[in-house]
Amino acid sequence: MGLYEPLQIGDLYVKDPIVQGGMGVGISLSSLAGAVAKAGGIGSISTAQIGFREPDFSRDPKGANLKAMASELAKARKIAPEGVIGFNIMVATRDYPEYVAKAVEIGADVIISGAGLPVKLPEYTKGSKVKIAPIVSSARSASVICRMWDRKYGRVPDLVVIEGPLAGGHLGFSREELERYKADRGDTDQVYDREAYDREIRDILDVIEGYRKSSGQPIPVISAGGVFDREDMAHHMSLGVDGVQVGTRFVTTWECDAPQSYKDTYLKAKKEDIAIVKSPVGMPGRAIWNPFLERMAGDKEKIDRCFRCLEHCDPKTAPYCITMALIRAAEGQVEDGLLFCGYNAHRCEKMEHVEDVIADLCR
């Protein structure tokens, strides 16, 4: 018996209220997602350049990605036949509707979608059983998405993920907002005014509660960003959320799809190595500072081709190709690639099994 109530998302039962964060490119694929689902949480496969290992990826990235979605979900299902497994699909993905349609076609349980507001997600999933979950970072964005879904589609989210300023990868905050929450690079002592974002979480919960009442539907809320240990989880749960999303700690598990050299970089990282960087698409993101980022701080990498991964990326002005930087990291070239991470990456000190991480958090 766990410390917390299971998650019930429509007809989906999740024993432990843990959602594994989607980590692209090649970090959260079938091995990690399957292991989390088998252990009792929700496993999440990231679609971000998921097909980078396919032989035709260079020629047809989208085709390779769509093919890999099917194969990765099938492999995850073999690991956890009864588990809950879904996809994390960024709204900023070029051809976003096609990725959503593929997830529906191959039988994903859940689609979690952020990096923009998934205003048309109900349209793309209409008539399917897949559960849909927007990622929001503020009460305003929660209100906008719920209001639009209600007005245009007569429905509410099946699940809502609140992603706070300590999350990894691309963040749903401007640099100014990050400064307000004291989560930027260079802070040393009181690095995060937790109460400031706790208030935002409570405000988001108030928004969702209004739609729960008006729709008569349960809408579980998941809190993400900075959840590393049992104490962190207890704090988030005390705010009234129904579960948490965890990404960073799962990277240093034996089951994570990243190569060992990638995991070792997390294990070696110090607090001062965690940086807020500007990605080629102009969004702030959190990553481990390394020689590649040092070089890109004052230089530009030649971009030979565009993989058309994100809607708003111009190869003519981008300092480097984010696809290639992430692929190099996922292939083990950790000094010459981009390693996204959460704020707590420096707290990773040992390799663990997924089952032990979940047990430590909530059992």
Side-chain angles (χ1 to χ4, degrees), residues 151-201:
R151 189 178 71 242
K152 291 191 69 175
Y153 306 106
R155 68 159 301 168
V156 293
D158 297 299
L159 183 74
V160 171
V161 177
I162 302 172
E163 196 165 87
L166 300 189
H170 285 126
L171 303 172
F173 300 87
S174 67
R175 274 190 170 270
E176 291 72 27
E177 288 169 326
L178 289 173
E179 179 64 26
R180 188 175 73 199
Y181 293 121
K182 299 180 181 179
D184 208 345
R185 176 176 166 82
D187 292 331
T188 53
D189 297 317
Q190 191 61 33
V191 296
Y192 177 51
D193 182 2
R194 187 158 70 176
E195 180 56 34
Y197 198 69
D198 285 354
R199 289 192 294 271
E200 192 69 40
I201 291 174

Side-chain angles (χ1 to χ4, degrees), residues 55-342:
D56 58 344
F57 177 73
S58 183
R59 177 179 57 80
D60 179 18
K62 183 174 71 175
N65 288 337
L66 295 175
K67 181 166 55 178
M69 284 177 67
S71 62
E72 290 296 327
L73 181 60
K75 287 187 284 187
R77 291 276 188 226
K78 285 186 178 180
I79 297 169
E82 305 300 321
V84 177
I85 303 167
F87 287 100
N88 182 291
I89 309 176
M90 296 189 298
V91 178
T93 302
R94 197 180 294 266
D95 300 315
Y96 172 73
E98 293 183 53
Y99 286 88
V100 173
K102 188 66 176 182
V104 170
E105 175 197 325
I106 60 181
D109 295 315
V110 184
I111 294 174
I112 298 172
S113 207
L117 287 179
V119 292
K120 293 186 176 181
L121 187 55
E123 178 182 324
Y124 303 146
T125 58
K126 188 177 180 180
S128 74
K129 290 179 61 179
V130 68
K131 306 301 184 288
I132 52 177
I135 297 175
V136 300
S137 295
S138 66
R140 181 178 178 276
S141 59
S143 181
V144 166
I145 200 72
C146 287
R147 186 170 64 248
M148 291 188 72
W149 284 17
D150 182 38
R151 189 178 71 242
K152 291 191 69 175
Y153 306 106
R155 68 159 301 168
V156 293
D158 297 299
L159 183 74
V160 171
V161 177
I162 302 172
E163 196 165 87
L166 300 189
H170 285 126
L171 303 172
F173 300 87
S174 67
R175 274 190 170 270
E176 291 72 27
E177 288 169 326
L178 289 173
E179 179 64 26
R180 188 175 73 199
Y181 293 121
K182 299 180 181 179
D184 208 345
R185 176 176 166 82
D187 292 331
T188 53
D189 297 317
Q190 191 61 33
V191 296
Y192 177 51
D193 182 2
R194 187 158 70 176
E195 180 56 34
Y197 198 69
D198 285 354
R199 289 192 294 271
E200 192 69 40
I201 291 174
R202 293 188 185 100
D203 289 344
I204 295 171
L205 286 168
D206 286 344
V207 170
I208 302 305
E209 182 59 27
Y211 282 91
R212 281 177 179 150
K213 289 178 177 177
S214 63
S215 68
Q217 301 292 321
I219 310 172
V221 178
I222 303 299
S223 186
V227 182
F228 190 85
D229 60 16
R230 182 175 293 218
E231 183 180 341
D232 296 327
M233 180 161 182
H235 175 77
H236 281 255
M237 296 296 283
S238 74
L239 299 175
V241 300
D242 302 284
V244 299
Q245 179 172 285
V246 178
T248 292
R249 190 166 171 189
F250 282 127
V251 172
T252 51
T253 59
W254 296 105
E255 296 87 353
C256 179
D257 298 88
Q260 189 59 45
S261 57
Y262 192 106
K263 300 172 188 182
D264 289 342
T265 304
Y266 272 56
L267 296 174
K268 295 173 186 173
K270 297 180 175 60
K271 192 175 186 178
E272 57 269 25
D273 296 327
I274 313 304
I276 297 294
V277 300
K278 183 179 178 181
S279 93
V281 294
M283 300 164 65
R286 183 171 279 110
I288 295 178
W289 195 257
N290 66 355
F292 170 73
L293 288 174
E294 186 75 43
R295 192 168 71 248
M296 289 301 100
D299 200 359
K300 188 178 187 298
E301 190 173 70
K302 183 180 179 182
I303 300 176
D304 295 318
R305 63 152 301 170
C306 178
F307 291 90
R308 299 178 60 81
C309 58
L310 300 174
E311 281 287 359
H312 304 292
C313 182
D314 184 356
K316 295 177 183 177
T317 57
Y320 59 89
C321 171
I322 193 167
T323 284
M324 288 309 303
L326 290 168
I327 286 176
R328 288 196 297 266
E331 290 180 337
Q333 300 176 54
V334 295
E335 297 292 291
D336 196 33
L338 177 61
L339 287 84
F340 277 142
C341 70

